[in-house]
Each structure stands twice: as C-alpha cells, then as structure tokens.
Amino acid sequence: MLFRTLFIISTLISTLQLYGQQVQVISSSDRSAIEHVAVYNTTRERSALTDSLGMIDLRIFPMTDTIVFQHPSFVNRQFSHQQITDQSTIVLHRKRILIDEYVISASKSRESKLIIPNMVDVIEEKELKESTGLTAAEILEGTGNIMVQKTQGGGGSPILRGFEANKILLVLDGVRLNNAIYRNGHLQNSITIDHAILNRTEIIFGPSSIMYGSDALGGVIHYYTKDPELGRADSTKMNLQAYVQYATAVKGKTGHLDFSLGRKHWGFLTSVTYKDLGDIRIGERRSPYLGDWGKVMHYVDQVNGVDSTLANENTLIQKNTGYSQLDLLQKIRYTPSQYVDWVLNLQYSTSSNIDRLDKLNDYSGENLKYASWYYGPQERLLISLKNVVKKDNWLFTNMTSIVAFQNVDEDRNSRNFRNEELLTQLENVKVLSLNVDLLKIWGVNHKLNYGVEVNQNRVGSQAWYENIHTGKRDSAQTRYPEGGSETLSASAYASYKWILHKKLVLNGGGRYNWGQLTSLFDNPLLNYDRIHINHGALTGSLGLVYKPSDRWQLNTILSTGFRNPNVDDYGKVRAKDDFVIVPNPDISPEYTYNAELGISRIVEGYIKIEVVGYYSFLKDAIVRTNYQLNGEDSLFYDGDTYKITTNYNAGEAYIYGASLGVTANLNKSILLKGTLNYTRGYNLTDDVPLGHIPPLFGRTSLTYRKSRFFIDTYMVYQGWKDIEDFSPFGEDNEGEAMKYGFPSWWTLNMKAGFEVLKYFDLMVAVENIFDQFYKPYASGISAPGRNFIFTARFTI
C-alpha cells in the first residue's frame, strides 16, 4: 500500500507543468548544458534549479529583479531581468584554480562541497576515464584515502577509516547494495559494478546514518552510472563511446561499448563491458629478507585422474588468479516536461568461476590442503525505476522516488586434496526497496532534506556434497540458516542546512530506523531452531562549517551511527584458517559515537592544505571472539577440527586517526596532489587490537596537462602493519602475512594520454615501474609487478 500511494502521489505531481520564458545555461568551453545551476534573485526570496538540459523558467522572477546564476564549478554571473528578456542562452565560465566541486551523495541533492562538514572525495568522469583501475574497487585507490584489500584476483574490499565490508555502505544509482549476507570479514562485491559506465563516484567518510541508515559506520561509497542524454525538439542526439584495454601483468583484455540515443522526451543508453584477466604476474625485485613469501610454489592438478601437487615452473605467476566478467546496462529515460524525469535502470553482471588463492595456497603436510576452492559465477541483477519531480511547491522543491529489485546469487565450492566430494554452498538473496527523498529550499539560506526508506531481504541457502566422478549428491551444512531468512527495515529521516552567514553554515538532522530479522534453523548442533531480532535505533548529527576568511575553513561534526546485525553476523557457519564461526542468537545492533574536526587553508590562492582528525567510540561493536558450543570449544567440520568462534557485541572499542591532503595548482598546467592516512583501533573489552585497521598509507601525484596531452607521475605507499597490532580473531589475515606482519612498500607509476584526433584518445601507463614485489595489507594475493597498460578510446 505504501509503494502504491507514493507512486500515485509522485505521478499526480509530475503531470503539472508551467510555461514561461525559458533560457538554457551552457558552458563557455564546449557549449554543453549545465544541470543544477542555482538561479535566484538578490533578495533571495525566489530560487530554482536548471534541469538536465540546463533549462530554467524565469517566469517566477518579477521584471524588476536582478537574477544570479550560481554553480560550484563556474564563475557566478548576474543580470537584470530586463537584460536577459530576449536571450535564449546564458553562458557560464568554468573556474580554473581550485575548483569548488559539487557533491550529490552527502545530502542526496547537489550542493557545493564548501558547505558540507563531512570529508568527501569525488571521482569525476574525466578521472574515471584516466584511471588504470580494472574494477570498481581499484578505481577508489586513486583518491589516496582508501585502501583496498584483495582476497583473490576477482576481488576488492575497500577500507574506510578502519571500517570494512558490511560496515561500509555501497550505493549504486541511489539503490543500497548492502544486503542481508554482506560479510563482516572482507567483502568483494564491489567488483560486480561496471566501472566503465560510471559517470562519477563519491565517497563520504565517517558515519552517514542520517541520510543512509544502517551500515554506513565507516562511510558511504556511492557509484553513479551515466544517464541517457536528451536531444532537442528538432533533432536526435546520438553518442557512441568505446574503448579497448590491455594490461601486461595479467594479460588482461577489456572491451567496452556504450551507445545513447536521445530525442526531446526520450533517451536510451545501452552499455556492454567484457574483461578477461589472466593470472597475475608479481614483481621480481624483492628484498632478501622476504624469502619466498608471496610466491605460489605449487598448485594442484589431476594426473591420471588423481589429485597431484605440482611445482609451479614460474613462481612469478600466481596461478588461479585469473577470471572473466560480463556487465550489461540498459537505461530508458522519459522526460515529459522540464519538471519531470523517469529513468528505468536495468543492470546485470556475471563472472566466470573465481578461484580463492588464499585457500588454494594452504598446505596440509607436504601437499596442498585443497584441490579446488572457488566462487561460482557471481551474478547480480538490478532493476530500478526512478522518478524525479523538480517543481517548487509548499511540500518540496525536488522529489526523487526509487523503487528497486535486486537478485543476487553467490556460491562457494571447495574440495579437499584427494577427496572426491565437492562441497557446494549456494546463496540467493532477493531485495525489494523503496526510497523517497525530498528537498525543500527556502531562498538560498535554508534547505531541508527528508524522506523514507523501506527495505526487504529474503535469503535462501542450500548446500550439498557432490561426487566428482559419479555425480551423486548428499546433504551438507549450509552457510546460512537452512530454513531461510527474512529481514525488513523501515526508516525516516530529516536533515536541515541553515546558512546563517556567508561565513557560517549549520547542518543537523536525525533518523529513526526500525529493523526485524528472522531465521529458521534445522541444525542438530544448535539448541534452538529460530532466531528473531527486533530493534529500533535513533541517530543524529550536528555539523558546522565556519569560514573566518577566504583562506581558512573549519569543519566539525558530532554524530552517531548504527548498524543492525544481518544474517551473516548472527547466522553463519564458516571455516577459515584454524577457526570455525557459528551462529549467535544474542547479537544486537552496534553503535558509534563520532567526533570529527577538519581544517583547510588556501595558500597564495593556488595551494590547499586539508587536515582531518576523527575519533569513533564503538559501543556493542560486532567483533569475533572465542566461543563454546554445547560445552565444547572445538568443532569437527568438513573433514577438519577447528577452534570455535562467533560474532558478539564487544562492550567497547575505539578508532581514531587523521588524514592529510595537499592540492597545489602550481600553474595552469601542473597539479600536485598528496595524501597521507593514519588509523588506530582497539577492542577495549577483550584488550586486543581491533581488526581491519590499515597501516599508514597514501598517494602523491604530479600531473602536467596541456591542450590535448597529459602526463601523470605518482607514488603509492603503505607502512608496516606489525604482527602485534593484528586482531587475534583472523580479520587481518595473519596467515597471509610474514612472521613480523605485512611489510611496508612503495611503487612509482606513470601514465600519459594524448587526444590523437577529435574522436580518438590513446593512453599508456606503466605501473610499478621498478617491478617491486609487495603485498597490500590483509590481502590474500600479491600485487602485480611491472604492468604496462594500453588504452584506446573512441568517441563519436
């Protein structure tokens, strides 16, 4: 009923139209339309925003008004109404030095980064095109503020401020991706997002539970794919973009094609991306104290039908790290008027089998422990319908409604060495969601965001042993509850922004979230057959942006965050290293209390220095601990005996750290950027280090850009993660580290691009120029060695 009522309301409102004097706001550089330009009179009593075609109706302004056109990336312009009465276009000029970026994800509406108290990184479309990342996880490393852990070749688990996996919220085109089985260990799901069709990516650091609800403890990573472009009334707009890429370190081949067709009211966008990545070649140059650490010395293959441990003839090649992936996207856009947009969004992603190298590299005596361990094809289907209404009334200025359905399939397959039984665990998650986000603007000094969200997950879990010779199947222990699981959550939020003065902006808000989780068990090991969790949580935040002068800015935030446990937290049975994790019926939500202070300074108009310090106190943090089941502290599972652990609510824990960023436009052609990140965390209740805390890391780049050419030289670096700073419960992958921990490393890299023709670009990159061996923190695989990447891009 709620879905139907909101749909009817948005449809009725979207049918209303106005007519009057319309002008188009365009960029002086390429004559392209500029969306979301703030247009207001000098008394700030009336305001509006340009639509996706840069159009604005000036009828709301009296003829005696002076009208201001403002956008964060362009120089402000103002005219008397009479001056522009007969004009059809308004031309804005892009800022050249220290561009004030706009941000969408922080408030779910476009606004200047300068009035947002949160630390936010934005990856624009141009940066995405120039990125050498092969996945949607790898492109995040270009910010210099995110570390990415990799368990296997087809993997990538971002870490934000010591939070990882299901404590970070992934959002795609306004739809929450986190589902009921997102893990609390290392999560590789971001690779199912097609990075080739992204228009921008925004990362909000720190708790963001006001706007996004549960899971956003460490932050939000919001991916935005391209939308279809519309044409003019008398013409059809067509765009064709394609690229091919080859990476030598993985013998990786990637191809992408997207085609868009736009009429006055209709737009269509089709995208296809396919990549085939081979086994990773590691760096040859290594310090002597590393020995053979990180090399794949052996692998398993069948000889005369018998599993055999074979020597790897080339130990620089990490066998079983290659995979392939296919991504499809189709969008259909209908814009009946300048005030209404409808977008149907269809996405599908599937992969080949993806081997789990950290498992395939484990030994049992003189032989490898597993003959095979792989994820079956990772499949993700997303269908969403978005409606945007941009017509000011007493209730809202903008309203965005998204109804979405997701179907996610994951399966794990493992077989012990010289064991004929292949264990398959198959998981299916169906997700239905509704988001309604409203924005109300009064003048230019008051802004209210509010909305509701409803989310339902249904989880099915199956497992069986299958004889690889006879095909006979026998039942096996499922990863998640055998009888199925269902989660339901509903929430409402409001966030208010008040520009008290041009030097002072106040941000505040709150959100209430209710969640219910139910799982049914049929497991003789457990003394219960049902877990039911029902919780509500109220969170809030208060932020302040203060600009004492044009050179200084201070940001401060006090906020709370929360995360409801999901099925993976309380209902999982899974073995790793020497531990097996079992369900815990007594788990409850975890909370954070966060304080953050940011200071930025602009020096001589072209150098910007930013320092952000933060502290998060975790209450009832969900972490692993030793556990007893039926009075026993060990369990025989899948042919081996393991020490029992479970997830539980630790009494108290903390995380603190700091980020340093420097940006310098040395002149119109040279840009210097650098970052450095420091994080510490501790589980106070168990008196042990907290897991997922990365060592010191950062990035420094020097970019020269002139006309149709650019060259970028950059360093990436990571400090030591000492073994005494590891969590004792396995989150830091101690089994993949050296005796003393994960060593420090750095790489020197370079890329250059050239616009050969108007429609043809070439880019050549060399990563890890000195071919150094290194292994990123907590990763199960070693990083690629010297890697030449060739990219040819076509645009018509």
Side-chain angles (χ1 to χ4, degrees):
M1 186 65 183
L2 175 61
F3 285 79
R4 182 182 303 172
T5 302
L6 291 170
F7 178 81
I8 292 173
I9 291 173
S10 64
T11 303
L12 289 174
I13 294 174
S14 69
T15 59
L16 301 176
Q17 299 187 34
L18 291 173
Y19 299 93
Q21 182 201 351
Q22 293 190 14
V23 298
Q24 185 183 36
V25 183
I26 61 175
S27 171
S28 62
S29 60
D30 57 6
R31 314 296 291 182
S32 62
I34 309 173
E35 186 180 9
H36 288 293
V37 176
V39 183
Y40 56 90
N41 57 10
T42 52
T43 61
R44 302 193 173 188
E45 295 174 347
R46 302 173 184 268
S47 64
L49 297 172
T50 58
D51 65 12
S52 58
L53 293 175
M55 303 299 295
I56 183 71
D57 192 333
L58 299 181
R59 195 182 72 166
I60 64 172
F61 300 104
M63 291 299 296
T64 56
D65 267 353
T66 297
I67 303 174
V68 180
F69 294 79
Q70 182 184 60
H71 189 282
S73 298
F74 294 83
V75 178
N76 291 359
R77 297 195 70 182
Q78 71 177 38
F79 306 89
S80 68
H81 199 159
Q82 293 180 343
Q83 281 181 289
I84 55 178
T85 298
D86 299 324
Q87 293 187 26
S88 61
T89 59
I90 299 294
V91 179
L92 299 186
H93 302 279
R94 185 174 288 276
K95 296 177 181 177
R96 294 184 178 275
I97 302 297
L98 295 177
I99 292 176
D100 172 17
E101 296 173 303
Y102 70 83
V103 175
I104 302 172
S105 54
S107 64
K108 297 188 178 180
S109 59
R110 192 169 298 211
E111 60 185 355
S112 168
K113 194 174 178 180
L114 293 179
I115 62 173
I116 298 173
N118 307 75
M119 176 178 168
V120 180
D121 275 339
V122 179
I123 309 175
E124 301 276 9
E125 185 176 10
K126 183 174 72 172
E127 296 173 88
L128 290 167
K129 288 181 177 180
E130 295 175 358
S131 171
T132 58
L134 300 178
T135 69
E138 291 182 5
I139 63 172
L140 302 175
E141 295 177 307
T143 65
N145 292 314
I146 299 177
M147 180 171 287
V148 176
Q149 181 274 351
K150 289 185 179 180
T151 300
Q152 64 271 342
S157 183
I159 305 173
L160 274 65
R161 295 185 172 180
F163 291 95
E164 189 181 359
N166 58 19
K167 294 177 175 59
I168 293 173
L169 183 62
L170 300 182
V171 182
L172 177 61
D173 291 332
V175 178
R176 165 192 294 266
L177 294 187
N178 291 44
N179 59 49
I181 64 170
Y182 263 37
R183 301 189 292 278
N184 66 355
H186 305 290
L187 190 72
Q188 317 295 323
N189 295 61
S190 58
I191 72 159
T192 66
I193 298 170
D194 181 10
H195 69 292
I197 195 61
L198 294 177
N199 180 55
R200 65 190 283 116
T201 300
E202 297 183 0
I203 304 98
I204 309 173
F205 294 85
S208 304
S209 294
I210 299 303
M211 302 303 299
Y212 291 93
S214 178
D215 301 343
L217 296 182
V220 176
I221 301 174
H222 199 148
Y223 296 97
Y224 296 88
T225 60
K226 297 177 183 177
D227 276 332
E229 296 183 22
L230 299 178
R232 306 290 297 197
D234 55 350
S235 64
T236 299
K237 185 173 186 178
M238 291 187 292
N239 287 311
L240 176 67
Q241 296 190 45
Y243 78 83
V244 291
Q245 186 178 75
Y246 182 76
T248 61
V250 293
K251 295 183 178 178
K253 300 170 284 293
T254 302
H256 168 78
L257 173 69
D258 68 78
F259 173 75
S260 66
L261 178 68
R263 297 285 293 173
K264 180 181 179 181
H265 296 299
W266 288 91
F268 303 87
L269 174 65
T270 302
S271 170
V272 180
T273 304
Y274 179 77
K275 57 188 172 191
D276 184 9
L277 308 181
D279 291 336
I280 299 171
R281 177 195 172 275
I282 64 176
E284 185 173 7
R285 184 170 173 262
R286 61 168 56 216
S287 174
Y289 76 84
L290 297 179
D292 291 330
W293 177 63
K295 291 183 177 180
V296 176
M297 307 301 294
H298 300 93
Y299 65 99
V300 172
D301 203 351
Q302 290 204 332
V303 178
N304 298 323
V306 178
D307 290 338
S308 303
T309 299
L310 305 177
N312 185 4
E313 294 180 357
N314 185 356
T315 56
L316 295 181
I317 301 297
Q318 293 183 105
K319 282 188 171 292
N320 305 306
T321 54
Y323 74 103
S324 61
Q325 183 168 316
L326 173 67
D327 296 290
L328 305 174
L329 177 143
Q330 178 65 58
K331 284 189 175 183
I332 302 173
R333 178 178 180 181
Y334 174 55
T335 305
S337 76
Q338 72 176 91
Y339 304 104
V340 181
D341 259 336
W342 292 92
V343 178
L344 177 64
N345 186 354
L346 308 172
Q347 299 183 29
Y348 176 71
S349 176
T350 186
S351 70
S352 65
N353 292 338
I354 299 178
D355 290 307
R356 181 93 180 250
L357 180 63
D358 63 332
K359 295 289 190 179
L360 295 175
N361 213 19
D362 289 345
Y363 286 83
S364 178
E366 296 182 356
N367 290 307
L368 291 167
K369 182 176 180 179
Y370 293 100
S372 60
W373 210 117
Y374 60 92
Y375 293 105
Q378 298 188 86
E379 297 188 356
R380 178 181 63 84
L381 171 67
L382 168 66
I383 304 173
S384 72
L385 179 63
K386 179 172 74 171
N387 172 238
V388 180
V389 180
K390 293 177 280 190
K391 183 183 178 185
D392 196 24
N393 57 65
W394 66 272
L395 188 61
F396 61 82
T397 304
N398 282 9
M399 180 178 75
T400 301
S401 306
I402 303 176
V403 59
F405 171 76
Q406 299 177 69
N407 189 73
V408 179
D409 284 323
E410 294 182 5
D411 64 282
R412 297 164 176 81
N413 305 268
S414 61
R415 184 172 65 85
N416 289 344
F417 186 76
R418 291 184 179 172
N419 188 321
E420 297 180 348
E421 301 295 322
L422 175 69
L423 171 63
T424 295
Q425 294 176 309
L426 176 62
E427 328 300 338
N428 174 261
V429 186
K430 290 179 170 60
V431 184
L432 184 64
S433 62
L434 171 70
N435 292 80
V436 180
D437 300 299
L438 302 101
L439 164 67
K440 179 60 182 174
I441 299 175
W442 296 276
V444 292
N445 293 330
H446 302 275
K447 178 179 176 182
L448 175 67
N449 293 89
Y450 63 104
V452 295
E453 177 181 357
V454 181
N455 193 286
Q456 181 193 52
N457 285 233
R458 289 185 176 177
V459 181
S461 190
Q462 304 176 57
W464 62 83
Y465 287 105
E466 181 174 339
N467 189 290
I468 61 173
H469 298 302
T470 67
K472 179 185 176 183
R473 287 188 178 182
D474 295 307
S475 62
Q477 172 64 54
T478 58
R479 179 180 175 92
Y480 298 115
E482 300 86 345
S485 302
E486 180 175 338
T487 71
L488 179 65
S489 66
S491 59
Y493 75 90
S495 177
Y496 179 67
K497 187 183 299 292
W498 183 12
I499 302 177
L500 295 159
H501 187 271
K502 66 178 181 179
K503 295 183 178 182
L504 188 63
V505 181
L506 179 67
N507 297 263
R511 184 184 188 111
Y512 182 78
N513 189 94
W514 170 84
Q516 177 178 283
L517 308 93
T518 303
S519 292
L520 303 177
F521 294 84
D522 183 19
N523 190 330
L525 295 174
L526 305 177
N527 56 9
Y528 49 86
D529 59 8
R530 182 176 184 266
I531 290 180
H532 180 77
I533 300 175
N534 192 333
H535 289 290
L538 179 65
T539 57
S541 71
L542 181 64
L544 199 66
V545 178
Y546 176 56
K547 295 190 66 175
S549 69
D550 291 338
R551 296 184 176 185
W552 286 95
Q553 178 167 322
L554 280 76
N555 299 347
T556 183
I557 306 174
L558 297 175
S559 62
T560 61
F562 83 100
R563 183 181 162 274
N564 266 329
N566 65 12
V567 178
D568 188 85
D569 292 312
Y570 69 78
K572 177 173 62 178
V573 178
R574 174 229 186 186
K576 182 183 179 184
D577 298 329
D578 298 325
F579 303 95
V580 62
I581 189 169
V582 299
N584 181 2
D586 301 317
I587 204 166
S588 60
E590 53 187 338
Y591 298 86
T592 63
Y593 302 90
N594 184 72
E596 180 174 330
L597 176 65
I599 302 174
S600 65
R601 169 81 159 98
I602 295 178
V603 181
E604 302 300 330
Y606 66 92
I607 300 174
K608 187 174 184 179
I609 302 172
E610 298 175 277
V611 180
V612 178
Y614 56 89
Y615 180 90
S616 293
F617 179 78
L618 288 75
K619 180 182 178 183
D620 297 329
I622 298 176
V623 298
R624 294 180 195 168
T625 189
N626 296 324
Y627 192 68
Q628 289 191 349
L629 191 64
N630 300 323
E632 301 290 337
D633 62 2
S634 60
L635 178 67
F636 186 77
Y637 172 76
D638 194 26
D640 285 295
T641 299
Y642 297 92
K643 188 174 182 180
I644 298 175
T645 63
T646 195
N647 288 323
Y648 90 117
N649 295 102
E652 296 177 348
Y654 66 78
I655 295 175
Y656 68 87
S659 298
L660 170 67
V662 177
T663 303
N665 289 91
L666 302 182
N667 58 38
K668 292 183 179 180
S669 300
I670 300 176
L671 175 67
L672 173 68
K673 295 183 71 175
T675 64
L676 191 64
N677 298 272
Y678 173 80
T679 314
R680 300 290 289 177
Y682 204 76
N683 180 340
L684 295 170
T685 301
D686 292 331
D687 194 26
V688 296
L690 203 59
H692 304 287
I693 304 298
L696 188 75
F697 71 97
R699 189 179 191 271
T700 300
S701 66
L702 183 65
T703 306
Y704 174 81
R705 195 177 298 273
K706 188 73 173 180
S707 184
R708 298 184 300 172
F709 172 77
F710 84 89
I711 183 169
D712 183 18
T713 303
Y714 58 98
M715 289 184 64
V716 183
Y717 32 85
Q718 174 194 293
W720 264 93
K721 175 73 174 183
D722 295 318
I723 197 71
E724 57 264 26
D725 294 327
F726 281 38
S727 164
F729 304 119
E731 298 99 320
D732 295 317
N733 282 353
E734 182 178 342
E736 298 299 326
M738 294 188 67
K739 179 180 179 181
Y740 303 106
F742 282 97
S744 60
W745 54 266
W746 61 271
T747 63
L748 180 65
N749 317 268
M750 183 179 294
K751 58 185 175 183
F754 182 67
E755 183 183 322
V756 181
L757 299 170
K758 183 178 180 181
Y759 305 112
F760 179 50
D761 297 337
L762 282 177
M763 189 177 81
V764 179
V766 189
E767 296 182 327
N768 195 358
I769 292 174
F770 296 120
D771 199 27
Q772 298 187 117
F773 168 82
Y774 68 99
K775 195 173 187 179
Y777 156 71
S779 291
I781 61 171
S782 302
R786 185 182 296 116
N787 187 18
F788 291 90
I789 303 174
F790 305 93
T791 306
R793 192 177 297 272
F794 308 85
T795 304
I796 299 177

